[in-house]
Amino acid sequence: MSNRQNCDSGSLSPLELYERVTTQGDKVRSLKAAEAPKDEIDTAVKLLLSLKLMYKATTGQDYKAGSPPTDFTPINNAPAITEDDDFVDPWTVQTSSAKGVDYDKLIVRFGSSKIDKELISRIERVTGQKPHHFLRRGIFFSHRDMNQILDAYENKKPFYLYTGRGPSSEALHVGHLIPFIFTKWLQEVFDIPLVIQLTDDEKYLWKDLTVEKAYEYAIENAKDIIACGFDINKTFIFSDLDYLGMSPGFYKNIVKIQKHVTFNQVKGIFGFTDSDCIGKISFPAIQAAPSFSSTFPQIFKGKEDIQCLIPCAIDQDPYFRMTRDVAPRLGYPKPALLHSVFFPALQGAQTKMSASDPNSSIFLTDTPKQIKTKINKHAFSGGKDTIEEHRKYGGNCDVDVSYMYLTFFLEDDDKLEQLKQAYTSGALLTGELKKALIETLQPLIAAHQERRKQVTNEMQALAQALIEEDHGE
């Protein structure tokens, strides 16, 4: 049984309790229809009744199918950060700990499941591939329904990948590569279609940008995404500002989602206020819609039952918790998710990297000299104040940003462990650890820049064109 099934009901929002009751009710009906053994049905009914009692105790309302809670506590939207609390929503990540966000607490709070050794072993067994180092090192650490995806793969049932990028600047930083690097691996391992949403509409609504500038950023970001090396024949990259106007399927799903989510719900989930523009309030449905295969009739030939797998940073989870609540009421499968940790700023793990602060990030446009200067000057160190103290007591890899970055980009497990042991023991100095990071990032970024130069207008047009092959078979 998953962590989510075992987690305490007090850690779940009313919306998630509603989702649990709905799912369990579907299970009871399925067992009865299949004429399952009486004791199995009785056990499922008892759990359903227990969940309904939890729901009523939390909301003060009886559970009613098709009527989710109309008012509930904001998800991860606490008014202030205490010493032990982190603040995480799709736009802000804050923590008081130099080690970064407490992801174990976040799993409990969000009601997701931990990616444990058993799941990683199953991924390796099912795919026949060594798990990506992002999985082995806990960079992707949480999931929703990944076992369903593996079941589908084993049974030769189709599914597809969906990820995205909010284009708030012309250049991406290295943190933006994380979901794309992992998604590329997933596409190669499972050999499936991928859709990539560029939410230029979102950035226009949230940032001080013109529509034209937001779209321009989307076009430039698409070049960096293509340079990651996706299978161009199975990848559809689209700008919301472009695709929405030419896709009835996309807009129909947006409207369906909007009808099933109340204003109180989006306020509770996303923290919107009465002074927010209506564009922000309606946007979550736009990010949710690509989770459903009918949004892309040109790819899936109108099929509505193809499940979606979404690799993303965990701050995007509120969008898809909402989506998973709506999906059964629309007759669609719930999207599965794989969540990554946050990529820290050079100054420390207290915040995410920011595209608006050039010194917080290593950008994909940086020269080798800029990379070296930024790391040497700005990368937060876990070393001691003097060489003598460092040699005696060693460094702290838990807070050292150079080591954190190496866990993302140094693929050699043995070398990473050697660096950790040497730094922790004091044999390796901070400057030497930074040098290892510089020597890792410089060729990686130079190679990306070279691939980006090879992205022609024709390649970009193909990636943004409508895929004609029927990948839904």
Side-chain angles (χ1 to χ4, degrees):
M1 190 172 288
S2 70
N3 291 349
R4 186 175 184 192
Q5 291 292 331
N6 287 328
C7 72
D8 184 79
S9 64
S11 69
L12 298 178
S13 71
L15 185 59
E16 289 186 312
L17 278 171
Y18 175 88
E19 179 182 313
R20 290 273 298 275
V21 175
T22 301
T23 300
Q24 188 64 22
D26 292 341
K27 181 177 180 180
V28 169
R29 283 187 289 275
S30 296
L31 289 171
K32 289 181 177 178
E35 298 182 354
K38 185 177 183 300
D39 59 342
E40 188 176 349
I41 295 174
D42 289 345
T43 299
V45 169
K46 286 179 182 178
L47 178 55
L48 176 62
L49 294 175
S50 175
L51 287 169
K52 284 184 176 181
L53 288 174
M54 292 180 192
Y55 179 82
K56 184 170 184 178
T58 302
T59 65
Q61 307 168 14
D62 287 323
Y63 170 83
K64 184 178 179 182
S67 300
T70 56
D71 193 13
F72 54 88
T73 305
I75 299 173
N76 271 337
N77 215 27
I81 299 174
T82 67
E83 184 178 350
D84 296 323
D85 282 336
D86 303 319
F87 182 96
V88 176
D89 72 11
W91 307 279
T92 306
V93 177
Q94 293 178 335
T95 177
S96 59
S97 171
K99 295 181 180 180
V101 171
D102 186 328
Y103 293 105
D104 287 335
K105 285 185 177 180
L106 208 55
I107 285 174
V108 173
R109 193 183 311 167
F110 278 21
S112 60
S113 300
K114 188 172 184 177
I115 296 178
D116 55 20
K117 290 181 179 178
E118 182 180 350
L119 179 59
I120 295 172
S121 295
R122 188 183 178 203
I123 292 171
E124 182 172 16
R125 186 170 62 253
V126 168
T127 64
Q129 301 287 329
K130 182 180 180 180
H132 196 279
H133 69 274
F134 285 177
L135 285 171
R136 302 195 308 269
R137 297 174 188 173
I139 290 169
F140 274 82
F141 70 100
S142 166
H143 76 100
R144 296 186 188 276
D145 292 341
M146 185 59 191
N147 279 304
Q148 285 186 14
I149 293 295
L150 296 175
D151 291 343
Y153 186 71
E154 286 185 314
N155 293 311
K156 295 181 169 43
K157 292 183 179 179
F159 59 96
Y160 69 102
L161 290 163
Y162 160 38
T163 192
R165 157 80 182 135
S168 58
S169 62
E170 185 171 340
L172 275 63
H173 59 61
V174 288
H176 293 137
L177 286 179
I178 304 308
F180 295 120
I181 290 171
F182 189 60
T183 300
K184 177 178 180 291
W185 181 80
L186 291 169
Q187 186 183 48
E188 291 173 348
V189 166
F190 292 115
D191 190 25
I192 51 175
L194 161 67
V195 297
I196 301 175
Q197 181 183 43
L198 298 172
T199 55
D200 40 10
D201 51 345
E202 176 204 16
K203 294 308 174 186
Y204 169 70
L205 293 168
W206 264 267
K207 302 285 185 180
D208 185 19
L209 296 173
T210 63
V211 170
E212 293 75 19
K213 181 58 71 172
Y215 181 70
E216 178 185 325
Y217 286 163
I219 297 302
E220 291 304 310
N221 285 188
K223 295 176 183 176
D224 277 305
I225 293 169
I226 294 169
C228 290
F230 296 107
D231 183 342
I232 204 73
N233 295 309
K234 293 185 177 180
T235 301
F236 175 40
I237 304 175
F238 65 98
S239 146
D240 284 344
L241 292 173
D242 254 351
Y243 188 54
L244 184 54
M246 66 175 74
S247 175
F250 191 13
Y251 186 60
K252 286 176 183 176
N253 275 338
I254 290 170
V255 172
K256 288 178 183 178
I257 295 163
Q258 288 172 336
K259 184 173 182 177
H260 287 82
V261 181
T262 69
F263 180 42
N264 276 339
Q265 286 176 318
V266 292
K267 283 199 298 184
I269 296 169
F270 301 102
F272 295 143
T273 68
D274 293 343
S275 61
D276 280 311
C277 71
I278 59 174
K280 289 184 179 181
I281 294 160
S282 63
F283 174 76
I286 298 174
Q287 184 159 322
S291 305
F292 305 135
S293 59
S294 56
T295 295
F296 308 100
Q298 75 284 0
I299 302 175
F300 302 109
K301 305 304 181 188
K303 294 180 179 178
E304 299 183 351
D305 60 347
I306 300 177
Q307 193 172 14
C308 173
L309 172 61
I310 305 171
C312 62
I314 197 167
D315 61 341
Q316 298 302 300
D317 187 70
Y319 283 111
F320 301 114
R321 289 154 76 183
M322 180 197 79
T323 308
R324 285 168 57 83
D325 173 68
V326 169
R329 286 178 278 154
L330 300 182
Y332 297 151
K334 295 180 182 181
L337 287 98
L338 291 168
H339 300 126
S340 74
V341 301
F342 303 118
F343 196 84
L346 281 170
Q347 288 81 1
Q350 285 86 350
T351 59
K352 289 193 300 183
M353 294 180 79
S354 170
S356 60
D357 181 359
N359 290 323
S360 75
S361 313
I362 303 294
F363 284 85
L364 300 183
T365 52
D366 283 347
T367 65
K369 183 178 180 181
Q370 287 174 317
I371 295 168
K372 181 178 180 180
T373 300
K374 285 184 178 183
I375 292 172
N376 282 331
K377 187 174 181 179
H378 297 292
F380 184 81
S381 169
K384 299 299 184 285
D385 292 336
T386 66
I387 292 177
E388 291 75 16
E389 288 181 343
H390 186 87
R391 294 291 191 200
K392 183 176 181 180
Y393 299 109
N396 184 356
C397 288
D398 289 338
V399 301
D400 192 287
V401 168
S402 294
Y403 179 77
M404 292 180 187
Y405 279 29
L406 285 166
T407 65
F408 285 90
F409 295 112
L410 181 59
E411 294 187 21
D412 188 323
D413 290 338
D414 292 335
K415 187 173 181 181
L416 183 67
E417 181 61 26
Q418 289 169 9
L419 288 170
K420 181 179 182 180
Q421 294 298 330
Y423 192 62
T424 302
S425 70
L428 190 74
L429 298 175
T430 295
E432 294 169 319
L433 187 63
K434 288 185 175 184
K435 183 173 182 289
L437 175 61
I438 291 165
E439 291 174 348
T440 299
L441 284 183
Q442 283 178 335
L444 184 149
I445 292 175
H448 180 90
Q449 291 170 352
E450 190 59 36
R451 289 194 302 271
R452 194 183 192 279
K453 290 177 185 177
Q454 308 305 316
V455 176
T456 63
N457 291 336
E458 290 76 16
M459 288 175 65
Q460 190 164 7
L462 178 61
Q464 292 178 283
L466 306 184
I467 304 175
E468 297 299 335
E469 292 86 359
D470 184 2
H471 293 299
E473 293 295 344

